[in-house]
Amino acid sequence: MKIKNICCIGAGYVGGPTMAVIAQKCPHIKVTVVDVNAARIAAWNDDDLDKLPVFEPGLDKVVEEARGRNLFFSTYVDQAIDEADMIFISVNTPTKTYGKGKGMAADLKYIELCARQIASVSKTNKIVVEKSTLPVRTASAIKNILDHTGNGVEFQILSNPEFLAEGTAIEDLLAPDRVLIGGDMSDKGKQAIQALVDIYANWVPQERILTTNVWSSELSKLTANAFLAQRVSSINSLSVLCEKTGADVNEVAKAIGMDSRIGSKFLKSSVGFGGSCFQKDILNLVYIAKTYGLNEVADYWEQVIIMNDYQKNRFSNNIVSTLYNTVSGKKITFLGWAFKKDTNDTRESAAIQVADNLLNEQAHIAVYDPKVVEERMYADLDYLNTRSEEENRNLLKVKADPYEACKDSHAVAVLTEWDAFKAYDWQRIYDNMLKPAFVFDGRGILDTQKLEDIGFVCYSIGKG
Ligand code: UDX
Ligand code: ADP
């Protein structure tokens, strides 16, 4: 089966970049990305590539090459479904905020809506690919909905989890460690798997394309994110011990990372991990384990989240205690709001929790982030419902210039590891701050020795 026409439902951080790369690498396939959010689609179609809704290094070039050739962004969801041989579902699957499984289970309402829409529109056989991170056995739920349309159309469901990391999405998509495709082991299932293998084989070496049953594929995605987040929580749990004992967490990380069995990646101690996946996927894993009565398994993984919350709160507590136990009315500057560098995504960013804690202590916060827009920051705070929208806007100010943001503040806190922060004129920042001037480096990216020579009082995570 040769695929000629792909539709992707959901034009977000996953759907947009993934489809742009598929279109770039497969000029013979028409790829249409659809979304119910008309403003988002308009931004994807904007002639000014700086206005793309997702900031990713290199994405603009890929979109420029493929858009209008075989890559299209549209709000006509039904039409794109109807025309497609293969449909990717890349809609959001946030943690449930209501009812059974509240705060833990994945909210599948957007997925279910997609399945129902595909069921009602389709007139020809289709392969449906789960791209969003989903709890194990979601594919069978989708299949159930699709198989009961009564109009004789046949659907094959594949699981093809996305492993791209934001900020390096294009690199990850162009040269993935592996592509995972889960499907039904029947003859028709195998044909569907092969159709998707053939698409990736246009640029990914065959030995990097793994095929499994659907449930292994779904569970692998949750497991990969749980293991990665666990490494960050493991090193963060030691950062506090380093601070107490006089050890340096970066030295410890280097020493253990050189053991090839441990490996050097994902050992950077930080103010806490964020992003749309880690917390959500672990909570999902915990919920699934609990559903099967596996409480020890659930508790084991939940500890990764508990450690992450501890790390975020520890950082803000440290700011308060260092500033003589009160930050009331004091100006504190945040460098960075995104959950990591090279993205404009702020979902679950540590900055949000740290800001909330400090605002509860009546601090005044000024924020500078190179890519996150002001409305996003206020939306993140408003979503917490801790204080009124008016209070959030009065207490937190967003600045377009980092030096202006730091002027007259008592302390600077680094919340995102943007490279540009390292190259700032720190002498100039110091000269315009109130004294004593403090720096709290939540990412361990600054040269604290240099800063101390200037006159700053420094705290760097995990340094005794
Ligand atoms: C993650 C997975 O890496 C990716 O494979 C999956 O598809 C989606 O989830 P992402 O959330 O985009 O990707 O970013 P990632 O690079 O994994 O970072 C997650 C968080 O962990 C960030 O807040 C980052 O700053 C933090 N982190 C990462 C650390 O604090 N220390 C590290 O050593 C690595
Ligand atoms: P992710 O990081 O998983 O890509 P995003 O929130 O960035 O998540 O993107 C998901 C996109 O899916 C959003 O733009 C949202 O509007 C879109 N979406 C959700 N449900 C539907 C639906 N039923 N039909 C079309 N688009 C949808």
Side-chain angles (χ1 to χ4, degrees):
M1 191 186 329
K2 277 269 164 284
I3 302 297
K4 295 199 190 68
N5 205 319
I6 288 177
C7 158
C8 172
I9 308 180
Y13 284 90
V14 171
T18 310
M19 291 304 125
V21 168
I22 291 184
Q24 184 198 33
K25 294 293 174 187
C26 310
H28 53 287
I29 299 177
K30 180 181 173 190
V31 180
T32 308
V33 190
V34 292
D35 204 296
V36 284
N37 182 337
R40 212 165 206 191
I41 291 297
W44 279 111
N45 282 322
D46 205 304
D47 286 336
D48 180 355
L49 292 166
D50 282 338
K51 298 231 171 80
L52 296 183
V54 169
F55 171 73
E56 269 301 333
L59 174 64
D60 48 354
K61 294 272 174 323
V62 180
V63 170
E64 189 174 32
E65 182 184 334
R67 196 175 60 186
R69 179 188 71 186
N70 64 324
L71 174 66
F72 303 92
F73 295 92
S74 156
T75 50
Y76 297 116
V77 182
D78 284 358
Q79 186 186 335
I81 292 174
D82 182 32
E83 288 173 3
D85 323 300
M86 182 177 270
I87 301 165
F88 287 80
I89 304 186
S90 296
V91 302
N92 35 337
T93 49
T95 306
K96 270 186 93 171
T97 51
Y98 55 89
K100 191 162 172 268
K102 178 178 170 185
M104 283 208 162
D107 192 340
L108 297 181
K109 74 175 169 209
Y110 303 109
I111 296 280
E112 188 175 334
L113 277 172
C114 281
R116 290 189 188 280
Q117 197 163 2
I118 295 169
S120 74
V121 170
S122 298
K123 299 194 278 287
T124 53
N125 295 349
K126 304 205 186 285
I127 299 172
V128 176
V129 186
E130 301 178 338
K131 199 83 195 136
S132 318
T133 313
L134 296 165
V136 184
R137 298 204 167 248
T138 306
S140 62
I142 297 179
K143 187 158 177 49
N144 237 309
I145 295 171
L146 293 176
D147 282 351
H148 289 89
T149 58
N151 57 8
V153 174
E154 277 187 38
F155 295 97
Q156 282 299 325
I157 321 292
L158 301 178
S159 157
N160 173 217
E162 189 51 76
F163 293 109
L164 69 80
E166 289 174 33
T168 53
I170 300 300
E171 280 169 52
D172 296 345
L173 286 162
L174 290 175
D177 285 352
R178 75 331 203 161
V179 168
L180 182 56
I181 301 172
D184 195 32
M185 290 298 146
S186 63
D187 282 350
K188 284 192 175 155
K190 284 182 187 155
Q191 280 170 20
I193 292 175
Q194 192 56 44
L196 188 52
V197 168
D198 289 344
I199 291 174
Y200 284 109
N202 282 295
W203 77 97
V204 180
Q206 286 282 356
E207 66 275 12
R208 292 191 177 218
I209 307 180
L210 298 184
T211 58
T212 64
N213 76 36
V214 178
W215 300 302
S216 301
S217 170
E218 288 178 335
L219 189 57
S220 299
K221 168 73 182 196
L222 296 186
T223 309
N225 280 340
F227 269 58
L228 290 169
Q230 184 192 39
R231 281 176 72 94
V232 179
S233 275
S234 296
I235 199 73
N236 280 346
S237 76
L238 289 157
S239 67
V240 56
L241 198 55
C242 288
E243 290 167 24
K244 299 280 180 219
T245 56
D248 179 335
V249 78
N250 295 327
E251 292 177 354
V252 174
K254 186 168 180 197
I256 66 162
M258 284 171 76
D259 184 327
S260 61
R261 294 168 303 175
I262 297 174
S264 61
K265 293 180 182 161
F266 266 72
L267 284 178
K268 184 90 194 82
S269 182
S270 69
V271 54
F273 61 73
S276 70
C277 285
F278 281 4
Q279 170 152 326
K280 181 186 80 177
D281 289 356
I282 292 176
L283 288 174
N284 221 327
L285 198 60
V286 169
Y287 183 71
I288 294 169
K290 281 195 177 151
T291 317
Y292 287 106
L294 306 173
N295 292 328
E296 289 78 2
V297 178
D299 291 349
Y300 180 76
W301 287 106
E302 194 167 15
Q303 195 59 37
V304 174
I305 306 277
I306 293 171
M307 185 52 61
N308 199 47
D309 288 337
Y310 167 71
Q311 191 76 347
K312 291 185 269 188
N313 293 332
R314 189 168 86 74
F315 188 73
S316 50
N317 288 340
N318 186 24
I319 295 179
V320 176
S321 61
T322 308
L323 295 185
Y324 318 109
N325 283 323
T326 176
V327 288
S328 177
K330 290 182 181 167
K331 179 178 172 186
I332 298 170
T333 303
F334 279 24
L335 291 180
W337 189 266
F339 81 96
K340 64 188 278 197
K341 71 172 178 179
D342 291 338
T343 180
N344 60 344
D345 195 352
T346 65
R347 287 176 286 181
E348 304 295 342
S349 179
I352 303 170
Q353 184 62 47
V354 173
D356 192 47
N357 292 347
L358 293 175
L359 293 177
N360 283 343
E361 295 286 336
Q362 302 178 344
H364 291 226
I365 298 178
V367 190
Y368 168 76
D369 186 287
K371 288 290 171 193
V372 180
V373 295
E374 179 170 329
E375 305 85 76
R376 183 69 257 154
M377 297 183 200
Y378 287 131
D380 289 337
L381 282 180
D382 294 344
Y383 185 76
L384 299 175
N385 241 331
T386 322
R387 59 195 81 67
S388 71
E389 295 187 8
E390 196 190 348
E391 276 177 292
N392 285 333
R393 281 149 193 77
N394 282 338
L395 293 173
L396 185 139
K397 301 285 180 202
V398 183
K399 301 285 177 188
D401 175 72
Y403 295 97
E404 183 59 31
C406 294
K407 196 166 177 287
D408 296 328
S409 66
H410 289 259
V412 172
V414 176
L415 275 307
T416 312
E417 69 278 24
W418 287 99
D419 290 332
F421 298 163
K422 291 183 249 181
Y424 282 173
D425 180 349
W426 283 92
Q427 180 70 54
R428 182 177 157 203
I429 291 177
Y430 179 79
D431 291 343
N432 290 312
M433 282 175 68
L434 300 176
K435 308 296 177 320
F438 296 89
V439 169
F440 296 88
D441 185 358
R443 296 287 177 168
I445 57 164
L446 300 176
D447 183 340
T448 41
Q449 188 58 57
K450 247 196 199 151
L451 293 179
E452 279 165 11
D453 290 346
I454 291 174
F456 280 106
V457 182
C458 288
Y459 163 82
S460 184
I461 215 135
K463 267 195 185 174

